[in-house]
Amino acid sequence: MQISLLRVCGIMKALWSPSSMLLLLLEVSAVSLQKSSKPSFVLMMVDDLGIGDLGCYGNKTLRTPNIDHLAQEGAMLTHHIAAASLCSPSRAAFLTGRYPIRSGIAGNGKLGVFLFNAASGGLPSQELTFAKLVKQQGYETALIGKWHLGLNCKSSDDHCHHPSVHGFDYFFGISLTNLRDCQPGHGTVLLILKFTPYSTVAIVILTAVVLHYSGIITIRRGLILSLLYLLLVITGLAAVFIMVFPYINCILLRNHSIVEQPFKSENLTQKMTNEAVDFIERNSDKPFLLFFSFLQVHTAMFASAGFRGTSHHGIYGDAVHEVDWSVGQIMQTLDRLNLRENTLVYLTSDQGAHLEEISARGEVHRGYNGIYKAGKSTNWEGGIRVPGILRWPGKIPGGRQIDEPTSNMDLFPTVVQLSGASVPEDREIDGHDLMDLLQARVERSEHEFLFHYCNAYLNAVRWHPKNSTSVWKAFYFTPDFYPEDKMACFHTHVCFCTSDYVTYHDPPLLFDLSKDPSESTPLTPDTEPAFHSILAAMQEAVEVHQRSLEPVESQLSYAHVMWLPWLQPCCSTLTQLCQCKEDQ
């Protein structure tokens, strides 16, 4: 027993020797340094913001001082491209670093986004998001705001597409999108009644009645009454569905619980800003990733009381001002907590401004895409060229403008590699790490080609040849505008991709964006001697790209986007229209 005690004392003496203690301290310090050296990420995405809406991108009439300051302190991308011109596919590409067609967030019909909470489509669970990968590296992760990538699969609470499935520890926001229907008096996104051919039906019935009583044809009175009754029933059901639409789709969630159904837009940006600030404060001593996905400036348009009437552009401009305020609050929080030096901040829009947005009262609720043609739902530059601002003091030189083609898909490999994780090698990743370009270690983007899809249809190709300043863009088809001189599709509210709404081009329309960024004058063999060789090179790249695509189930098929009653989230009862307000 005495020998054992002596041995123990000897071991303890060795353990507590100065050299052992020094080694222990060095190991602890190394682990702590490794943990603190990992940067945090604040990624902000505004909804439907036009590139021309910000002061740093040339706007002279809207005040965006906080975003402008962010651009002054960081790098401003002036050729930054959204991977899609609609919300759901653009966000899928941003989160995964992959063209949305690879994850199935593309369809063959007219609809290019999710319109119902009770639809079974969404971002498949096998997709890897940057949130999922950085979480594995010890990061705390949060999504505040809009999701729009599905919710349920088989029941009203299975949450198979919920943000938590894709790596977000905390979620406060909406699972769908901010719809016109979510605010009284702003109309509806459902165009059933608008496109019901009442006049045609009335003319047919009246003509039949006249012919019947003129003795030209004989129609049983019961048939006419039956047709009238059927028309009234269909119209009535459509009207009822539109009436209850806000109650089933305008839902505010905290993690997996409904806190408000339908949600009220008033002060919602301020609530979400407070949530973002709280998340940063809770995790200021550890690496974190915050994805702040604004509901603004998508319709239904809203602004908190303190911002209403502050702009010369109505409620749209007021909403832009509130977004800028929110950005300022988040930046002040990083400064107050001494986190600015170790936080990469990114700000963008999911696509260009929605030019067709006119309210039910005739108010203009659209943004400004600057010199760029058309807007949201098209692959003209106005639909996909978006703001791209990145700030990381001491790591990214401030005050730089970079005019190389970049993509919102590039944030995936950039964030993943900075977190210490590896970019997956078991799948195609279409984004490229931006750090070499941002830190001026290289002058050219790694994107030689970018492919622009309209739903599941390859719409256009962009080519930035090596050792050339040209950026060629070829269109295989373009949307049919209505009216033709408005560069928008006012008759359908968004432009569609299907054959009866587009014009095909053979040979493709070709532009050199380095000389004609507004896409005003297509090139011809007469005006561009290399016309045919340029198109041939682009076609070869298309073939290589298409060989890399693997068959996947479309999440935007009719079966996956239709409303299914058994998938409907409801925080009270159907007789109460699912209404509740638990978030005080």
Side-chain angles (χ1 to χ4, degrees), residues 10 33 48 50 105 198 206 218 251 273 292 312 337 340 347 369 392 394 431 446 451:
L33 183 64
D48 288 3
I105 310 297
Y198 297 105
L206 285 173
T218 301
I251 299 176
T273 303
F292 194 137
H312 298 296
L337 298 173
R340 67 180 273 126
L347 184 137
N369 293 320
W392 188 6
E446 290 189 55
F451 303 95

Side-chain angles (χ1 to χ4, degrees), residues 20 30 38 98-99 155 179 257 364 527:
S20 298
K38 287 185 176 183
R98 289 152 52 84
Y99 289 112
S155 68
L179 300 163
S257 300
V364 176
T527 58

